[in-house]
Amino acid sequence: MKKHNFSAGPCILPQSVMQKASEAVINFNNSNLSLIEISHRSNDFVEVMENARSLSLELLGLQNKGYKALFLQGGASMEFLMVAFNLLEKKAAYLNTGTWSNKAMKEAKLLGELVEVGSSKDKNFNYIPKNYSIPADVDYFHCTSNNTIFGTQLNEFPNTTTLKVCDMSSDIFSRQLDFSQFDLIYAGAQKNMGPAGTTLVIIKEEILGKVSRTIPSMLDYQVHLNKDSMFNTPAVFPVYVSMLTLEWLKNLGGISEIEKINNKKAEILYAEIDRNPLFTGFVPNIEDRSKMNATFNLIDTSLSNRFNQLWNEAGINGLNGHRSVGGYRASMYNALPIESVDILIEVMKRLEQKA
Ligand SMILES: *Cc1c(COP(=O)(O)O)cnc(C)c1O
């Protein structure tokens, strides 16, 4: 039986997507060839790439608004650097909400001055800083919408005329936002969209071409845009699986429909974390809690062996917290069925009865 997969990433994908993807590896579009052994310039694959790009914009409501989508390689980690290469002339503002923001800052610092406008480091990133201000003279503002490791999520984004860049790796396509407030969005596929190996980048094209440095071709968004995301051989399999996941989401009714399910999953799990006397949530402010990654701890850690045994026996996978937080983390990405959350809650209740 398929496990209840709460893995933080690479993450669970829809079973129907896996089925189609595995068939395409053997025989793609009845061509009697595998998806992974044909030219990326073949009509069949160009269609996949174009479909994946247009579906991303369509689901985010960004069609015909000056945005373009790219499927690049190098992960979200490469975007930490690419963003700075393409947009940072002198100074940029970063909101520091954890490990990934920190890594983004580290790369950008190689190319210019950084202003940390807010940070939740004082409390091991268990909250989202509020009431920070962004200097007027920065080239862009960067934030991480969902903090995969700590389990916090931004619900409000600053109202600013500065360019806005957002790392949405772990919550893209999970909830409705006014995506047109952002000038650049990036997301590694492996959290909520597909296998590792490709990164979705959504750019408002007019923001490019403003920096004075020479940008190496592979790091230049304009080079990739000019070649319709085919400057070099794209990650054909990850792009194909991402396209299938986006089609799955569209058939389900799009982001507004999946958001209802995601809200429900998060609501019932946090309710149990707060009700069950054996557990405590890592993020105290309810409004800062991530709907994708719920982090929690056992109050009495001597119960951890028993708890671990119970969830393993129930067929649950991937519940251990990140080493920098400890405890537990239940990642509830789009493809995780609500039934899996029900099972986890049952296990938490069973531990309480036995304790
Ligand atoms: C996982 C993750 C990353 C890193 O992604 P890679 O594709 O491994 O480089 C960056 N940002 C966030 C928010 C993540 O969750």
Side-chain angles (χ1 to χ4, degrees):
M1 206 188 78
K2 173 84 183 168
K3 286 207 171 173
H4 301 288
N5 191 0
F6 288 86
S7 171
C11 77
I12 185 169
L13 292 171
Q15 277 300 110
S16 60
V17 165
M18 303 283 200
Q19 187 63 41
K20 278 188 205 157
S22 61
E23 284 160 14
V25 169
I26 305 296
N27 182 1
F28 178 49
N29 282 358
N30 292 318
S31 62
N32 295 318
L33 289 165
S34 165
L35 166 76
I36 57 175
E37 63 177 0
I38 57 168
S39 167
H40 58 291
R41 311 263 175 215
S42 64
N43 289 340
D44 278 347
F45 188 76
V46 170
E47 196 179 308
V48 168
M49 178 59 94
E50 285 315 305
N51 234 335
R53 296 175 76 200
S54 71
L55 274 168
S56 333
L57 294 177
E58 182 186 338
L59 286 163
L60 299 173
L62 291 177
Q63 270 173 327
N64 307 316
K65 290 185 178 165
Y67 290 87
K68 292 261 171 76
L70 293 171
F71 282 87
L72 303 180
Q73 299 184 56
S77 299
M78 182 69 94
E79 296 315 305
F80 299 159
L81 184 62
M82 278 180 85
V83 163
F85 253 105
N86 287 265
L87 303 179
L88 179 52
E89 182 73 23
K90 283 205 176 75
K91 196 153 107 175
Y94 278 69
L95 182 65
N96 184 2
T97 52
T99 309
W100 299 117
S101 314
N102 262 301
K103 291 192 172 182
M105 289 165 68
K106 183 171 176 234
E107 301 305 306
K109 265 185 202 152
L110 299 171
L111 298 172
E113 186 188 333
L114 289 209
V115 186
E116 188 182 82
V117 292
S119 170
S120 44
K121 193 172 180 204
D122 59 333
K123 292 192 176 164
N124 198 20
F125 302 107
N126 75 354
Y127 70 102
I128 298 291
K130 318 255 162 60
N131 302 319
Y132 51 89
S133 58
I134 301 168
D137 62 344
V138 294
D139 299 314
Y140 63 88
F141 165 74
H142 178 283
C143 60
T144 313
S145 57
N146 183 66
N147 299 285
T148 327
I149 292 175
F150 300 94
T152 62
Q153 193 169 24
L154 267 71
N155 285 308
E156 278 177 35
F157 295 87
N159 195 354
T160 168
T161 52
T162 309
L163 295 188
K164 247 192 267 184
V165 177
C166 190
D167 175 1
M168 292 196 190
S169 292
S170 53
D171 68 352
I172 194 157
F173 303 119
S174 73
R175 59 171 174 169
Q176 280 291 28
L177 287 175
D178 170 14
F179 294 99
S180 70
Q181 69 182 296
F182 302 100
D183 299 280
L184 196 154
I185 297 168
Y186 61 89
Q190 72 275 16
K191 302 282 166 47
N192 212 11
M193 186 170 63
T198 193
T199 310
L200 173 63
V201 180
I202 310 264
I203 312 176
K204 205 171 205 179
E205 205 171 0
E206 67 183 31
I207 70 171
L208 298 176
K210 307 265 162 73
V211 289
S212 55
R213 75 174 56 81
T214 304
I215 307 173
S217 308
M218 274 298 282
L219 301 183
D220 189 340
Y221 290 126
Q222 195 65 62
V223 167
H224 291 283
L225 286 175
N226 293 347
K227 297 289 183 184
D228 293 327
S229 208
M230 295 264 204
F231 171 67
N232 71 323
T233 315
V236 291
F237 184 73
V239 172
Y240 179 68
V241 180
S242 298
M243 181 202 82
L244 293 177
T245 311
L246 297 174
E247 280 177 346
W248 167 84
L249 180 55
K250 184 179 167 178
N251 289 334
L252 211 90
I255 295 179
S256 58
E257 283 307 306
I258 202 76
E259 183 175 23
K260 288 182 202 160
I261 302 168
N262 289 337
N263 282 345
K264 190 75 203 165
K265 289 186 287 189
E267 184 192 316
I268 60 174
L269 181 57
Y270 281 116
E272 177 63 15
I273 292 169
D274 290 339
R275 182 209 64 78
N276 193 316
L278 302 185
F279 292 95
T280 178
F282 176 74
V283 179
N285 301 343
I286 288 174
E287 76 272 14
D288 293 345
R289 286 176 168 179
S290 168
K291 291 185 170 143
M292 293 280 96
N293 316 93
T295 43
F296 57 101
N297 293 80
L298 270 168
I299 292 170
D300 174 2
T301 50
S302 73
L303 293 174
S304 56
N305 283 345
R306 198 182 298 168
F307 183 51
N308 294 346
Q309 189 189 350
L310 283 177
W311 60 260
N312 273 298
E313 282 168 6
I316 286 173
N317 171 64
L319 203 65
N320 285 321
H322 189 272
R323 60 192 176 279
S324 56
V325 178
Y328 301 94
R329 170 173 53 170
S331 298
M332 299 174 282
Y333 296 115
N334 284 353
L336 183 86
I338 195 158
E339 290 74 22
S340 294
V341 182
D342 290 334
I343 299 286
L344 173 58
I345 293 170
E346 255 177 59
V347 167
M348 293 165 78
K349 290 191 166 141
R350 214 175 307 147
L351 184 73
E352 181 190 10
Q353 285 152 11
K354 286 189 172 184

